[in-house]
Amino acid sequence: MATASCTGYRAVVEASGEVVAGPVLGERVAWLTALTQAMTAGIVAERWDARDLDLLAGGVGPDGRVLPVKGWVAIRRLGWGCAAAAGSGGVYLSDRVRRCAEEQAARMLRAAVHRRGVVAAILATWPRDPRRRDEVERKALRAALPQGVSAAEIRNRTRQIRAVLERDGVLPGDLTEVEEPPRVAAQAVLAAADRQLVTLIRTGESSAMLRVQLPLKATPASRKDWAWHAIAMTLPPTVGAQARPCTPTVRIADGRVRIDLPFQSPIPSARAVGHTVAPGLDWGVNTLLTGSVARLRDGQPREGRVCADGRMLRYDATVISAKLHRLRGHREHLAAKRDHCAALLSGLNTADAHDVRRVALERGLRVVAVEHERVCARIRRLDHALAWSAARWAVDQAVALGAGVIYLEDLATLEARGVRRGNAALSGQVRGMVIEAIRHLAAKDGVAVVTVPARGTSRYCPRCGEGGSVLRHVPAPDRPGERGWKWAYCPACGLSCDRDHAAAERIAARGLLGQRHTRTAPGTGVRTIAVVVEGNVTRARRRNRPTRAARRARRTQTDVHPRPPARARAKTRPTPKRRQVSRTKTFSRVPDRRTVPAPDPGTPGMGKRPAGQAPQASRSPAGRTGPVRNPHHRTGFHRVAATPVLPLGTYAGGPPRATPARNAGNLQANTENRRR
């Protein structure tokens, strides 16, 4: 299940044939979302108390029947519907529009019930020191919490309760005392309606038609003020030909009509155990992802023999991270200016509307607020692009290697402590978004994503194991006596390699050796390994292919290129001068055109390929089915340095590569000469 965001540029009114342009269509969609938003906000605010949340959490209606899964049906069975208030004020709303508002309210209240259970468990096991729990308090909290609650959620809710305790002096009794009623988004959940309000028809491989009833005015008074609108939309390439689209959700974003279209597509099932080859990925501060490929030597996890090929996979986004860090600093500066202007405005006299100082402050506040929103939008777009680019690179590496699983470091407990600059950079990473993107893309290719414990991966040597020597972290291999963090050196076995590379090898080893401890969360499907199974990692060097002369010498047992005698090697004449070659002067200027990732021209709906490197021919890895991706993968950023995607056989002793067609004639001629 996935969601594709489409844009509605124009529509046709079916009754009159009128073509509605984008601004008018956006205005009518905004009227619909405003009506549903007002009804949803009324239901949530009215039922935001402990008694009603207890009734919803019980799952049984007043008549003794179990509440159904559909939210709007459960809301009406509890008697919380908005049918009575819908006709007030002279506004006409159909029953299907009220269903959309009630469905959105039910989803928000059920999410509040989940948060309420987490808050209740934390309050019941409130520790002596809320900043740090001991082992007994941690076990008691885990026993009281609902299943599937992450450590990050526990930490955030604890901070929220602690803020209320510091403000009021007493612990809150319920979620309603900790939070205000949540803000309702301006959207219309059309999935709760039927064909009397909305229909969706797929007209082609990359096109669809959405028919929906929209109001013709802000306050429709009768049925005549509603009309059917046919909105033609183009489906993105992610919606395949076999995908089944579902009823969408409409909203307004950046002045345009956005249609969030969920779709279902068949995917292969990913197995949790039985893997022999797997990449392990480690997180870094500047280098976003560092990976290593590991293989079970005997094919059995219990043997404890893991072999790595020594090749480091790296997705280096240092320049993009620096850009994000600068943007975050600029955002904080704008937020401080905005708060300062608001504080100055609150100190002025509100009775004098023509005060020069007040007019200037209001103008400056508007300018700063608009600039702050623009910087925030820029950060969101850059984070989204970086996360999905890194996820695409990681999944492509696993598919090219023929691996059925990706092992990631579980950093749910990662938290910035102190005021160091590195902690601020860690807090600003997009790791959560990267993990979700990797899980989404890997599911389409039948690749499992499993997280392993992160404790000790960078501390101990992958050759010696946890019982061996502790790694010494130095700034560079030629500076072993200084203290650093980039390079790892083992005094026991002499290992010297990149710190993240060593951690990635241990992550892959923990995943392959602990496969039988893989657990799948029933609600979310997230797979984790909580048991640490250690094993030493050996590194197999790649054998160099002998040259043609060396192979010929091996067959004839003679030296093809004999070394001349020492007397012949003596220098008897001066070295001749080199011939002067004219060189063209080059300039280090930025080119007018930059290379960008090129889509496959054969894929329908991808359009023309932009300027850049021509796509190379690719081979499907052995044992894999489905679409063949370009192994020379482009990351999507001009300043990102990433390891190219190569099949496992090209560097790990796999089958020999096919002979290019342009060398077929030379190969045949050499064969005939050898026979003669």
Side-chain angles (χ1 to χ4, degrees):
M1 193 73 182
T3 302
S5 184
C6 309
T7 304
Y9 294 101
R10 63 184 61 85
V12 177
V13 181
E14 294 185 351
S16 60
E18 174 190 2
V19 178
V20 179
V24 180
L25 178 62
E27 185 181 20
R28 295 180 182 181
V29 172
W31 290 339
L32 174 63
T33 57
L35 292 173
T36 57
Q37 182 185 20
M39 290 186 292
T40 303
I43 296 175
V44 173
E46 184 181 358
R47 304 300 171 181
W48 193 254
D49 55 69
R51 183 180 59 84
D52 291 335
L53 291 180
D54 282 335
L55 185 60
L56 182 61
V60 180
D63 53 356
R65 293 186 296 173
V66 179
L67 295 178
V69 177
K70 291 185 178 180
W72 66 272
V73 181
I75 289 292
R76 292 189 177 183
R77 188 170 295 180
L78 291 172
W80 300 351
C82 53
S88 60
V91 179
Y92 172 79
L93 298 174
S94 64
D95 181 71
R96 274 65 182 176
V97 177
R98 294 196 295 269
R99 286 184 187 180
C100 299
E102 291 164 355
E103 178 67 28
Q104 187 175 359
R107 296 181 181 182
M108 298 180 66
L109 291 175
R110 283 176 171 172
V113 168
H114 170 74
R115 299 196 305 271
R116 186 166 178 256
V118 177
V119 170
I122 295 176
L123 290 174
T125 59
W126 187 252
R128 294 187 300 271
D129 185 8
R131 291 178 176 83
R132 178 172 296 180
R133 293 181 173 88
D134 55 20
E135 189 64 28
V136 178
E137 294 171 344
R138 191 178 296 108
K139 289 183 179 179
L141 177 60
R142 280 295 181 184
L145 282 172
Q147 189 176 5
V149 179
S150 63
E153 188 175 359
I154 297 173
R155 184 172 60 251
N156 295 335
R157 296 301 168 189
T158 304
R159 290 175 178 174
Q160 192 178 21
I161 297 172
R162 191 178 64 195
V164 176
L165 176 61
E166 294 175 355
R167 183 190 62 192
D168 301 337
V170 294
L171 287 173
D174 194 77
L175 175 69
T176 56
E177 302 178 15
V178 178
E179 298 180 0
E180 296 293 331
R183 185 180 63 87
V184 180
Q187 61 182 9
V189 184
L190 301 178
D194 55 10
R195 295 184 177 180
Q196 296 187 22
L197 179 67
V198 57
T199 58
L200 180 65
I201 304 173
R202 185 160 186 171
T203 57
E205 292 186 359
S206 61
S207 61
M209 180 71 67
L210 176 66
R211 298 177 61 254
V212 60
Q213 283 193 4
L214 297 177
L216 301 179
K217 57 177 63 177
T219 56
S222 63
R223 189 186 296 270
K224 296 180 180 180
D225 295 333
W226 293 79
W228 282 97
H229 291 68
I231 306 174
M233 56 183 180
T234 302
L235 302 179
T238 54
V239 184
Q242 298 180 353
R244 186 175 70 87
C246 305
T247 308
T249 297
V250 295
R251 56 186 173 89
I252 300 295
D254 299 332
R256 294 182 177 181
V257 178
R258 304 297 295 177
I259 304 173
D260 297 332
L261 179 67
F263 62 94
Q264 297 177 353
S265 55
I267 59 175
S269 60
R271 51 193 176 94
V273 296
H275 304 287
T276 57
V277 178
L281 300 179
D282 178 69
W283 303 102
V285 180
N286 295 325
T287 303
L288 186 59
L289 291 174
T290 303
S292 177
V293 184
R295 183 198 299 269
L296 285 175
R297 299 189 65 177
D298 298 332
Q300 297 294 332
R302 297 183 180 180
E303 299 295 334
R305 305 181 64 184
V306 179
C307 178
D309 65 343
R311 182 172 181 257
M312 182 172 58
L313 311 177
R314 172 169 290 182
Y315 187 91
D316 191 355
T318 304
V319 180
I320 307 300
S321 300
K323 176 66 174 179
L324 287 170
H325 191 68
R326 292 193 298 268
L327 288 175
R328 294 187 186 102
H330 185 42
R331 178 187 60 184
E332 294 175 2
H333 178 66
L334 293 174
K337 292 181 64 175
R338 180 195 59 190
D339 298 341
H340 182 63
C341 292
L344 293 177
L345 280 173
S346 62
L348 295 178
N349 186 11
T350 58
D352 189 3
H354 300 284
D355 189 358
V356 179
R357 297 176 300 172
R358 186 176 187 84
V359 173
L361 284 175
E362 289 178 351
R363 185 187 305 111
L365 180 61
R366 288 193 298 268
V367 172
V368 172
V370 170
E371 184 65 21
H372 182 266
E373 291 296 329
R374 290 177 179 175
V375 174
C376 291
R378 170 63 175 162
I379 293 175
R380 287 194 299 269
R381 289 194 296 267
L382 197 56
D383 283 342
H384 182 271
L386 178 61
W388 284 91
S389 175
R392 182 72 275 170
W393 172 83
V395 175
D396 284 352
Q397 291 285 355
V399 172
L401 296 171
V405 64
I406 299 175
Y407 291 112
L408 291 171
E409 191 177 13
D410 188 5
L411 293 178
T413 58
L414 180 65
E415 180 179 10
R417 297 182 177 89
V419 292
R420 292 181 5 183
R421 185 180 181 90
N423 291 333
L426 283 175
S427 301
Q429 288 287 338
V430 291
R431 297 173 177 175
M433 193 183 302
V434 173
I435 290 178
E436 295 299 327
I438 290 177
R439 288 186 178 131
H440 176 78
L441 295 177
K444 295 183 177 180
D445 292 317
V447 179
V449 179
V450 184
T451 58
V452 300
R455 187 176 182 86
T457 53
S458 301
R459 178 178 175 83
Y460 298 102
C461 176
R463 304 293 179 271
C464 305
E466 189 171 354
S469 177
V470 177
L471 288 177
R472 183 185 301 169
H473 296 151
V474 296
D478 56 346
R479 297 156 64 185
E482 302 179 18
R483 184 179 179 182
W485 61 274
K486 180 61 177 174
W487 202 260
Y489 171 71
C490 180
C493 64
L495 173 69
S496 179
C497 65
D498 187 88
R499 171 181 176 171
D500 296 337
H501 187 202
E505 290 183 349
R506 295 203 66 191
I507 291 170
R510 285 184 178 183
L512 290 175
L513 297 177
Q515 297 183 45
R516 57 191 181 92
H517 300 287
T518 305
R519 298 293 179 266
T520 304
T524 59
V526 176
R527 291 175 174 174
T528 58
I529 297 177
V531 180
V532 178
V533 181
E534 294 292 353
N536 297 344
V537 182
T538 61
R539 183 175 294 180
R541 297 184 180 274
R542 290 171 286 168
R543 296 179 57 185
N544 297 328
R545 291 190 62 182
T547 61
R548 182 179 301 175
R551 292 196 303 269
R552 189 181 307 163
R554 188 181 305 171
R555 291 193 302 267
T556 59
Q557 299 297 326
T558 58
D559 194 356
V560 181
H561 303 287
R563 186 175 177 84
R567 184 177 301 176
R569 295 199 309 267
K571 187 174 181 181
T572 58
R573 58 185 178 86
T575 304
K577 296 182 178 180
R578 296 182 180 179
R579 190 179 61 177
Q580 298 294 332
V581 181
S582 60
R583 299 180 180 179
T584 304
K585 188 175 181 181
T586 59
F587 299 90
S588 58
R589 61 183 297 271
V590 179
D592 296 333
R593 295 184 180 181
R594 295 184 179 183
T595 57
V596 296
D600 189 3
T603 305
M606 292 299 292
K608 296 182 178 180
R609 187 182 68 84
Q613 182 180 0
Q616 305 291 332
S618 59
R619 294 183 300 147
S620 177
R624 305 290 297 183
T625 58
V628 179
R629 292 194 182 93
N630 187 1
H632 304 277
H633 178 68
R634 303 297 296 276
T635 60
F637 286 99
H638 308 302
R639 297 294 183 178
V640 168
T643 306
V645 179
L646 298 175
L648 184 62
T650 60
Y651 64 88
R657 300 180 62 180
T659 304
R662 53 194 172 96
N663 295 334
N666 298 337
L667 180 63
Q668 184 178 3
N670 294 337
T671 305
E672 294 178 357
N673 293 334
R674 191 180 301 113
R675 290 177 180 176
R676 292 175 184 174

